[in-house]
Amino acid sequence: MLLDAASLYFRAFYGVPTSVTAPDGRPVNAVRGFLDMTARLLTAYSPDRLVACWDDDWRPAFRVDALASYKAHRLSPDGGEETPDELAPQVPVLVDVLAAAGIVRVGAPGYEADDVIGTLATRARGPVDVVTGDRDLFQLVDDARGVRVLYTNRGIADLEIVDEAAVTAKYGIPGRAYADFAVLRGDPSDGLPGVAGVGAKTAAALISEFGDLAGIRAAAARTVVPRAPLSAAVLKRLHAGSDYLDAAPVVVAVARTIDLPPVDGTLPRRPADPAALAALADAHGLRSSLGRLGAALGWPADALD
């Protein structure tokens, strides 16, 4: 099980009230929510390995170089990612808690968590569940290899299991064609404009007819007599968006071969550092959430004593 950590702690922050605080009054809603979500996932899906995948770079240079608008609307004045003031201090606490608990956390300089997830999913020798609220990761689904997405859009209690059939049912495209579909349609949440005038329906029709973006562009280049789905209007839009179509695939495609050390991810049967975890639990009011996590991991009852 690969956790898109930022996706989960942002969801936890907005889903759990900031009135959930540490003994000194600081909000710990994102930390507690993340731990509780992880416990529920472990209980419901029983993975044998777990990795929290991290954004070491939330807006990598190689993507911005390809498309300057990428996540530009989420930049803070200091050049970082806009993060609520009450969330930012909770992230280092979560890092410390994961380390003391023994839950593996993996990031890579110059890459997003998506790329860590893509690489680890590609390396995996068995089935993989990717937990995320990010549709971009739908491109990783692979029925033959057992790679699926547990999509959190409706919440952890009502996860949408996304496999190739679900992608087809939802978007009307082949199950492994999501990346090209996203390029054509665009995604405003990531600053991805898409091809102007090409919406989801047209994008799906083009992919269904021509297979992938390369096939669509090749067909557009050789078409003399327009016909559906390559109508005269669509041809004009594709030609007008040629520069965008050159750049966008680099932005959308999840990297699958980044340089990562071997990652085990075996579930910890005891905390890696019980004393540190107990101290964090007391300082931040996390004993109940860590108790639930410990129960899901099969820790002994005295793990935090």
Side-chain angles (χ1 to χ4, degrees):
M1 178 173 281
L2 303 174
L3 305 180
D4 182 356
S7 173
L8 292 186
Y9 65 65
F10 268 94
R11 172 166 287 278
F13 178 78
Y14 288 111
V16 179
T18 54
S19 57
V20 174
T21 60
D24 65 2
R26 289 175 296 107
V28 290
N29 55 321
V31 179
R32 285 184 55 174
F34 186 100
L35 297 175
D36 287 341
M37 287 191 289
T38 302
R40 294 186 71 161
L41 289 162
L42 290 167
T43 300
Y45 295 96
S46 302
D48 56 7
R49 293 185 293 158
L50 177 71
V51 180
C53 301
W54 219 256
D55 278 332
D56 275 11
D57 190 337
W58 71 282
R59 191 171 181 253
F62 75 92
R63 290 194 167 104
V64 177
D65 289 346
L67 196 68
S69 64
Y70 181 62
K71 294 185 177 178
H73 60 296
R74 285 151 58 181
L75 280 168
S76 64
D78 65 3
E81 182 178 16
E82 279 191 343
T83 303
D85 291 343
E86 292 175 311
L87 171 59
Q90 297 188 55
V91 177
V93 175
L94 180 58
V95 169
D96 291 343
V97 169
L98 293 175
I103 292 174
V104 173
R105 184 179 68 88
V106 178
Y111 291 97
E112 299 176 62
D114 290 13
D115 305 308
V116 174
I117 290 169
T119 296
L120 294 179
T122 300
R123 286 185 185 178
R125 296 180 179 178
V128 176
D129 281 342
V130 175
V131 184
T132 185
D134 186 351
R135 293 177 300 180
D136 287 345
L137 290 168
F138 290 0
Q139 65 189 272
L140 298 178
V141 300
D142 185 339
D143 290 356
R145 299 185 58 246
V147 179
R148 62 183 186 173
V149 169
L150 306 182
Y151 187 46
T152 64
N153 190 51
R154 299 191 300 241
I156 291 293
D158 189 19
L159 291 173
E160 181 180 352
I161 297 177
V162 178
D163 55 11
E164 291 186 35
V167 171
T168 299
K170 193 175 187 73
Y171 300 109
I173 58 176
R176 295 177 66 182
Y178 185 82
D180 286 347
F181 174 77
V183 167
L184 288 164
R185 181 198 60 186
D187 185 347
S189 69
D190 279 340
L192 197 71
V195 175
V198 173
K201 184 176 180 180
T202 300
L206 290 168
I207 289 171
S208 296
E209 178 73 17
F210 301 108
D212 57 20
L213 188 57
I216 293 165
R217 299 190 75 184
R222 66 174 179 263
T223 295
V224 177
V225 180
R227 62 179 179 82
L230 276 177
S231 66
V234 170
L235 281 169
K236 183 178 180 179
R237 290 164 184 157
L238 290 172
H239 289 313
S242 180
D243 289 346
Y244 164 78
L245 290 172
D246 289 340
V250 174
V251 178
V252 173
V254 170
R256 305 189 189 206
T257 58
I258 66 175
D259 185 17
L260 291 177
V263 176
D264 182 5
T266 299
L267 300 180
R269 295 308 173 190
R270 294 189 69 94
D273 189 336
L277 191 61
L280 287 162
D282 291 338
H284 302 288
L286 303 174
R287 279 196 172 264
S288 60
S289 291
L290 284 170
R292 288 186 284 273
L293 179 66
L297 288 166
W299 287 354
D302 63 353
L304 293 179
D305 294 340

